[in-house]
Amino acid sequence: MAKKNTKAWSGRFREALAKEAELFSSSIHYDHRLFKQDIVQSIAYARQLVRTRVLTNIEAKKIVSALEAIMKEIAAGKAELLQEYEDIHMNIEMLLIKKIGDLGKKLHAGRSRNDQVATDLRMYIKYETTEIILLLKKLQTVLVDLAEKNLKVIMPGYTHVQRAQPVLLSHHFMAYYEMFRRDMGRFQFVQQESDVMPLGSGALAGTPFEIDRKELAEELGFAEISQNSLDAVSDRDFAIDFLSACSLLMMHLSRLSEELVIWSTYEFNFIELSDKYTTGSSIMPQKKNPDMAELTRGKTGRVYGYLIGLLTVMKGLPLAYNRDMQEDKEGVFTAVDTVKGVLSIFPGMLETMKVNVEVMANAAKKGFLTATDLAYYLVRKNVPFREAHEIVGKIVAYCEESNMQLEYLSLKQLKQFSDAFAYDATRILSAESSVASRDIVGGTAANQVKEAIKRARKNILHDQA
Ligand code: ARG
């Protein structure tokens, strides 16, 4: 005899779902994460069903208190969530029926798991995005604090990982602040995009029961309600936006990680990461490895992967809901865990790292980093830039041959290359004067970086989570 069909749709079926098919299609092992959103949603929905006379006031109250009890049980790990009930929605419905009997069977009237899951996922992303924004603010604050603390530290700025021009370490930190500020804007956008309630769209065509969608949205904390039921149940743009915001954030964190890795090499020796955020080797006693930064760089891959994954899931789907869309959640959950994990590491890792100020300063002195400044000097003496470039190029070649730094050239030596050099030429050759001369909005002069810090502090205060 065939196994008894325990599914909610057993009416139409003669045979039970094959065990392997059940295992293959069940999502409860990960979508249990949505239990709070699902129950909060069901509670609000039960109240609406009173308006439509599907439930009496007393029935709704019973359902609500049973759902509240189920919420506590699941949170305490005391509820049995079964694979055979497929997903969190069916499991909660089954728990409800177990608790209050036939009354529990009334709750799903007019609703579908299609509008239900879309609503849950939007609630989840809204909540997690707020968490991420708060963590981002903490990271921004640490970067701005570090910028403030290091206003006197000069380091080589790089292009092509070749020493280019001197910059303040503060300016470097503030560059990351700018990236994380843009990330914040993207998460705020995700919040807006997720703030639209699909509930009331039914399976695809809307619901004939007269629920007040606006009131429902208000109760669930949604700013708006969706305007087309077909779109509402089959739209995952907000999840893609979320994964995209996470991907960009991870890309920035990965770049910062890469710098921490390079800077803490013996060769660079610009920083030393704290023991708290490094690990040793099981074989080489001397090792101190920047694993947290490396893992951040590595974990960026999976977040990108889930973004491309979901874009690909969605690209061929006809309207409206298709089961493919169940594939949306694991990526979103993984991205949440990854981003929150990394963001919980970085503030501490940055705050505790030691900056080798002398090493940075010395590095900024070697490598002809003020060659551009020397060319600009000539430009101010009316030499066309291209000519000035050529002249200074020759000076650099001369210095290289005679193994000396630009800074130590005398006026006499400079004059051999151009008559335009005068007594004030040697003054502009230090890293300090090069940095100080970039006194323009966005430039690395201390004045400007201080202004940038001020602006950043204001933004951090005003940016809404
Ligand atoms: N677990 C499903 C998902 O995440 C819920 C929606 C199922 N709808 C359906 N018609 N089978 O997509």
Side-chain angles (χ1 to χ4, degrees), residues 216-262:
L216 193 50
E218 217 166 285
E219 189 165 349
L220 291 175
F222 280 102
E224 285 172 56
I225 58 176
S226 57
Q227 299 296 310
N228 180 297
S229 60
L230 289 168
D231 176 46
V233 293
S234 67
D235 168 31
R236 292 294 181 273
D237 292 3
F238 64 99
I240 293 171
D241 282 330
F242 176 73
L243 289 170
S244 161
C246 288
S247 294
L248 276 139
L249 169 59
M250 287 303 293
M251 183 256 280
H252 295 147
L253 287 160
S254 181
R255 293 182 73 178
L256 179 53
S257 296
E258 172 69 8
E259 297 206 303
L260 297 180
V261 170
I262 296 183

Side-chain angles (χ1 to χ4, degrees), residues 14 76 93 109 157 167 323 368 416 420:
R14 296 222 171 81
E93 192 174 318
V167 293
R323 189 67 182 274
F368 316 107
Q416 286 169 4

Side-chain angles (χ1 to χ4, degrees), residues 22-259:
E22 185 176 287
L23 182 66
F24 176 71
S25 57
S26 164
S27 55
I28 186 64
H29 58 288
Y30 56 86
D31 68 14
H32 62 82
R33 277 215 206 192
L34 296 175
F35 79 93
K36 275 192 193 143
Q37 287 80 7
D38 202 68
I39 290 176
V40 167
Q41 179 192 155
S42 287
I43 289 174
Y45 190 72
R47 291 188 179 131
Q48 280 299 320
L49 286 182
V50 177
R51 291 187 95 242
T52 68
R53 303 222 172 88
V54 171
L55 292 178
T56 66
N57 231 324
I58 295 171
E59 285 175 327
K61 279 198 175 125
K62 273 190 194 157
I63 290 179
V64 168
S65 61
L67 284 170
E68 282 167 353
I70 292 169
M71 169 116 77
K72 283 190 194 131
E73 283 161 25
I74 299 180
K78 284 188 187 137
E80 213 183 3
L81 300 173
L82 299 176
Q83 179 190 296
E84 69 179 285
Y85 298 138
E86 239 182 69
D87 56 24
I88 189 62
H89 325 292
M90 291 312 306
N91 265 281
I92 289 172
E93 192 174 318
M94 289 308 194
L95 288 170
L96 183 66
I97 294 168
K98 223 160 114 193
K99 224 180 218 357
I100 57 172
D102 282 352
L103 175 57
K105 297 179 180 170
K106 288 188 158 186
L107 177 63
H108 207 53
R111 189 171 66 164
S112 156
R113 278 186 294 164
N114 299 350
D115 56 351
Q116 191 176 353
V117 72
T119 304
D120 283 355
L121 194 59
R122 283 172 179 273
M123 288 166 75
Y124 174 83
I125 286 183
K126 269 174 61 179
Y127 174 79
E128 292 298 346
T129 302
T130 304
E131 296 266 300
I132 290 171
I133 289 178
L134 291 174
L135 289 168
L136 261 175
K137 274 196 174 206
K138 167 79 187 147
L139 177 59
Q140 290 178 346
T141 305
V142 168
L143 284 164
V144 175
D145 288 347
L146 281 170
E148 188 129 58
K149 211 172 109 191
N150 289 284
L151 271 166
K152 294 212 162 69
V153 181
I154 294 186
M155 62 174 287
Y158 292 83
T159 63
H160 313 262
V161 204
Q162 302 286 324
R163 288 183 193 173
Q165 290 173 354
V167 293
L168 291 183
L169 175 59
S170 302
H171 197 48
H172 203 104
F173 284 133
M174 290 305 289
Y176 281 98
Y177 162 78
E178 293 293 335
M179 295 178 225
F180 295 130
R181 172 130 208 266
R182 291 196 295 276
D183 286 320
M184 189 117 117
R186 275 183 279 269
F187 282 105
Q188 284 164 339
F189 172 75
V190 171
Q191 248 168 355
Q192 258 176 45
E193 290 295 299
S194 314
D195 212 3
V196 182
M197 186 193 74
L199 197 57
S201 301
L204 72 162
T207 176
F209 296 106
E210 284 167 21
I211 55 170
D212 184 335
R213 293 190 68 213
K214 283 220 167 111
E215 198 179 280
L216 193 50
E218 217 166 285
E219 189 165 349
L220 291 175
F222 280 102
E224 285 172 56
I225 58 176
S226 57
Q227 299 296 310
N228 180 297
S229 60
L230 289 168
D231 176 46
V233 293
S234 67
D235 168 31
R236 292 294 181 273
D237 292 3
F238 64 99
I240 293 171
D241 282 330
F242 176 73
L243 289 170
S244 161
C246 288
S247 294
L248 276 139
L249 169 59
M250 287 303 293
M251 183 256 280
H252 295 147
L253 287 160
S254 181
R255 293 182 73 178
L256 179 53
S257 296
E258 172 69 8
E259 297 206 303

